[in-house]
Amino acid sequence: MSAKISFFKSVEQYVDKAASYTDIPRGLVEQIRVCNLVLQIRFPIRVGDDYQVIEAYRVQHSHHRLPTKGGIRYAESVDQDEVMALASLMTYKCALVDVPFGGAKGGIRINPANYTVEQLQNITRRYTTELIKKNFIGPGIDVPAPDYGTGPREMAWILDTYQAFRHGEIDSIGCVTGKPVTQNGIRGRAEATGRGVFYGIRECMSHADDMKKLGLSPGIAGKTIVVQGLGNVGYNAAIISQLEGDAKIIGIAEREGSIHDPKGIDIDKLMAFRKETGSIIGYPGSTHIGGPSAALELECDILIPAALENQITIDNAERIKAKIIAEAANGPITAYADPILLKKGILILPDFYINAGGVTVSYFEWLKNLSHHRFGRIQNRFQHNAFEGILNKVEEMTGKQITKRDRDFLTRGGTELELVNSGLEDTMITSYQQIRETFLQNNKIPDIRTAAFVSSMNKIASDYISMGIFP
Ligand code: NAD
C-alpha cells in the first residue's frame, strides 16, 4: 500500500467509518460527504516585466447552514483535493462545536515568501474580486478567515475590497473574520486556535479514568509536549500550555529541523532566538535531532502536529511514541496511519475538534460585526449597578463591610477578551464532553475521532431532516 492517500479521500474514509455507527440513510450520508460547490479560479498578476497565472480555489462543502465558513490558505501545496478536504472538515467542525455555519475553504497556490507585500496585496484583492463576481463571499453567503500562510493583514485587504464593491451594505464588515482588532476584528481571535488546543487537551486530561488507561496521571501540569510548526496555531498552543498549563515543551520541529531538550524549552526565548538567527537549530541547551519530522518520533506525553497535513503516514506511524496526539493542524494523520496509532493505544484528539477554537471565535467576531457593537457595551454598566445594589443590601443585612478589592471584583463586567476566552473555553469543554459521551454510550464506537464524526454527522443529518429534504 502506498503511503500516499488523497487528503479528501482520507476524510471520506473517516466519514464512512463513522457512518456505520449511525442510523443516517445512505443517500443522506452521501449528501453530507460531497462538496456542494467548487470554484476554480485562474487570474494573472504582474511580476516584474512579466505575468504569472495564479491558481486559486474556494470550495463550499455544505449549505445545510448558511453562511458557509472557512479559512483561506496560501501555500504551494494548495490544489482542489486539499481545499475540498479542508472545506469538508470545516462542516464537521462547525457542527461538532455548535457553530451554525456550513463548511468552506479557500486556497491560493503560492509560497507567500516569494512575493512582495504589494504583490500579495494584489493577489488577495484580485482573488476577493473573483469571489465577489461569483457571489462566493458575503456575511450571509460565505465568510473567509485566516489559515496557513494568511493572517489579519490579508483579512483587512479582503474586507476593504469587499466594501469597495458593496458600498453601503450595512453588514459588510461581517464578510470576513480574523480581521485586525482595529478593523472590526475581535480580541482573542489571533490566539484562539492555539488556546482552544490547550483547553481541549486540558479537558481530555482531566478524566482520570481515561488517563489511567494511557498510564498517565490526570492533568496537563508537568506533562511533556512536542510541537511541530511554530506558526500561529503551534506557537499559541505551546506558549499557553507552558504558561497556563505548566506543561513542559521538550521538542520542537520547524522547517529547518527538529530540536530536543528533556529539561524543557522556553518557547518565547526560542522564538526570540529564531528571529535573531533565522533558525531553531543551535538553541542553547537543545540537541539537533534531524529534519522537520524527527521530533514527531520523540517519546512524550502529548504530540501536537501544528504545521500541515500528511505528516504522520504509514512510513512513520509505527515509530510514534506519544500517548496523546492533538491534531492542531488539519489532517496531520492520514487515514492509513490512523489505525496503526490506535493499535498502539494512542489517544487521538481529532483536528475538527481540537483546532475548532479559531472558527468558534470567528463566530463571535461575526456576531459582534452583525450586532454592530462590542460585547458588554450595553449591559456592563447596568450589571455593575445591579451587583453594587446587591452588595449594599448584603452589607446592610450582615452589618459587615465588603472590601474594595472584593467589591471591584464582584461588580465588574467582563472585558471583550475575557468574554471571548470564556466562550471559547466553554465550547471546547462542552464539545469534548459530548464526544466522550457519544464514545461511552456506544461501546462499538472504536475511538474518539469516530465518536466525534458520529456526533457531528448526527447533527448535520438532523438539520437536513428538519428541512424536510430527507423525511
Ligand atoms: P502558519 O503559517 O501560521 O504556521 C505554520 C508553521 O508551520 C510555520 O511556522 C511553518 O514554518 C511551519 N512548517 C511548515 N512546514 C513544516 C514542516 N514540514 N515541519 C515543521 N514545521 C513546518 O499556519 P497556521 O495558521 O498556524 O496553520 C497551521 C495548521 O493549523 C494548518 O493545518 C491549518 O489549516 C490549521 N488551522 C489553522 C487555524 C488558524 O486559525 N490559523 C485554524 C484551524 C486550523
Side-chain angles (χ1 to χ4, degrees):
M1 183 164 50
S2 151
K4 278 221 167 285
I5 174 173
S6 126
F7 190 5
F8 186 61
K9 280 250 152 22
S10 203
V11 179
E12 280 193 315
Q13 282 205 15
Y14 291 136
V15 172
D16 285 343
K17 179 175 166 191
S20 64
Y21 300 99
T22 70
D23 297 325
I24 306 171
R26 262 182 50 156
L28 182 46
V29 171
E30 178 64 10
Q31 171 56 36
I32 291 172
R33 238 175 32 169
V34 295
C35 287
N36 291 175
L37 274 177
V38 179
L39 178 65
Q40 272 190 31
I41 314 165
R42 301 287 185 277
F43 57 83
I45 64 142
R46 182 103 193 223
V47 179
D49 293 336
D50 202 355
Y51 292 87
Q52 248 181 41
V53 180
I54 303 290
E55 178 182 335
Y57 301 87
R58 183 75 186 170
V59 173
Q60 294 172 358
H61 172 258
S62 178
H63 291 155
H64 74 287
R65 294 245 171 154
L66 287 171
T68 51
K69 184 100 191 69
I72 296 179
R73 172 177 287 198
Y74 290 1
E76 280 171 317
S77 62
V78 165
D79 61 17
Q80 188 170 317
D81 180 84
E82 181 181 89
V83 185
M84 282 168 63
L86 292 164
S88 66
L89 282 174
M90 283 305 296
T91 295
Y92 304 113
K93 186 183 303 186
C94 290
L96 189 69
V97 297
D98 293 323
V99 164
F101 297 138
K105 203 81 179 190
I108 305 186
R109 192 185 174 92
I110 52 165
N111 177 355
N114 294 343
Y115 296 88
T116 64
V117 172
E118 198 187 343
Q119 287 163 348
L120 284 173
Q121 182 168 172
N122 284 342
I123 292 170
T124 307
R125 287 183 181 278
R126 179 62 194 255
Y127 175 71
T128 311
T129 309
E130 296 296 328
L131 296 183
I132 296 168
K133 268 161 53 182
K134 298 287 180 223
N135 208 21
F136 259 68
I137 182 171
I141 297 170
D142 187 355
V143 183
D147 190 67
Y148 187 92
T150 61
R153 179 184 69 177
E154 286 74 15
M155 303 307 117
W157 292 334
I158 291 173
L159 174 66
D160 187 56
T161 310
Y162 184 84
Q163 289 189 318
F165 281 85
R166 296 277 195 265
H167 179 68
E169 190 182 290
I170 190 154
D171 288 329
S172 58
I173 47 169
C175 75
V176 63
T177 60
K179 302 178 290 288
V181 174
T182 51
Q183 301 282 317
N184 296 292
I186 196 165
R187 285 167 185 80
R189 173 61 184 91
E191 67 268 30
T193 308
R195 177 167 286 282
V197 170
F198 165 67
Y199 289 146
I201 295 173
R202 194 191 61 185
E203 178 56 25
C204 162
M205 298 194 80
S206 71
H207 297 276
D209 289 355
D210 302 352
M211 290 306 105
K212 204 170 161 195
K213 285 183 203 145
L214 300 173
L216 288 171
S217 59
I220 190 170
K223 299 297 188 306
T224 53
I225 296 186
V226 170
V227 182
Q228 185 197 37
L230 269 189
N232 175 299
V233 179
Y235 164 72
N236 283 300
I239 193 71
I240 296 170
S241 299
Q242 184 167 70
L243 296 181
E244 296 180 29
D246 220 5
K248 193 155 109 178
I249 316 291
I250 59 154
I252 293 287
E254 251 297 337
R255 290 172 195 271
E256 58 271 21
S258 296
I259 57 167
H260 181 216
D261 184 353
K263 293 191 298 305
I265 297 163
D266 182 310
I267 293 301
D268 272 341
K269 283 190 184 149
L270 175 67
M271 291 296 275
F273 178 84
R274 188 174 192 234
K275 203 168 169 199
E276 201 185 307
T277 64
S279 173
I280 59 170
I281 312 300
Y283 179 69
S286 72
T287 314
H288 178 197
I289 54 165
S293 52
L296 297 173
E297 298 174 22
L298 282 170
E299 197 161 333
C300 62
D301 297 321
I302 308 148
L303 172 61
I304 308 183
L308 276 175
E309 60 264 23
N310 295 337
Q311 297 303 303
I312 303 177
T313 67
I314 54 171
D315 289 337
N316 59 359
E318 272 303 346
R319 298 193 297 274
I320 304 294
K321 297 176 203 77
K323 297 197 167 110
I324 298 173
I325 303 179
E327 291 186 312
N330 285 307
I333 299 174
T334 66
Y336 293 159
D338 191 68
I340 301 173
L341 301 169
L342 293 174
K343 214 166 146 208
K344 286 164 72 80
I346 298 173
L347 191 158
I348 300 169
L349 293 170
D351 44 11
F352 67 107
Y353 162 65
I354 203 69
N355 71 29
V359 77
T360 302
V361 175
S362 272
Y363 171 48
F364 300 158
E365 179 177 333
W366 182 77
L367 290 175
K368 173 184 172 182
N369 293 160
L370 297 197
S371 67
H372 298 270
H373 70 83
R374 88 184 126 70
F375 295 125
R377 178 168 178 182
I378 291 179
Q379 71 272 36
N380 270 3
R381 182 58 47 186
F382 178 82
Q383 273 175 3
H384 170 84
N385 293 340
F387 289 140
E388 281 279 357
I390 294 169
L391 295 184
N392 291 343
K393 209 76 201 147
V394 170
E395 280 184 341
E396 199 184 301
M397 287 164 72
T398 60
K400 287 187 182 153
Q401 213 184 345
I402 294 164
T403 63
K404 181 174 179 320
R405 193 158 161 264
D406 283 348
R407 183 173 279 273
D408 287 348
F409 178 74
L410 293 167
T411 58
R412 61 193 274 280
T415 63
E416 181 174 86
L417 184 62
E418 287 167 331
L419 293 171
V420 162
N421 285 347
S422 82
L424 171 61
E425 186 175 10
D426 187 60
T427 301
M428 295 307 293
I429 292 174
T430 315
S431 303
Y432 188 72
Q433 287 171 355
Q434 275 177 18
I435 299 169
R436 193 169 174 270
E437 229 163 79
T438 307
F439 179 63
L440 295 177
Q441 265 167 13
N442 181 348
N443 59 13
K444 292 203 185 83
I445 294 180
D447 54 81
I448 291 291
R449 186 196 306 278
T450 308
F453 269 113
V454 167
S455 168
S456 170
M457 289 169 72
N458 277 333
K459 291 184 198 178
I460 301 166
S462 130
D463 271 4
Y464 273 113
I465 290 164
S466 61
M467 279 179 220
I469 298 173
F470 287 86

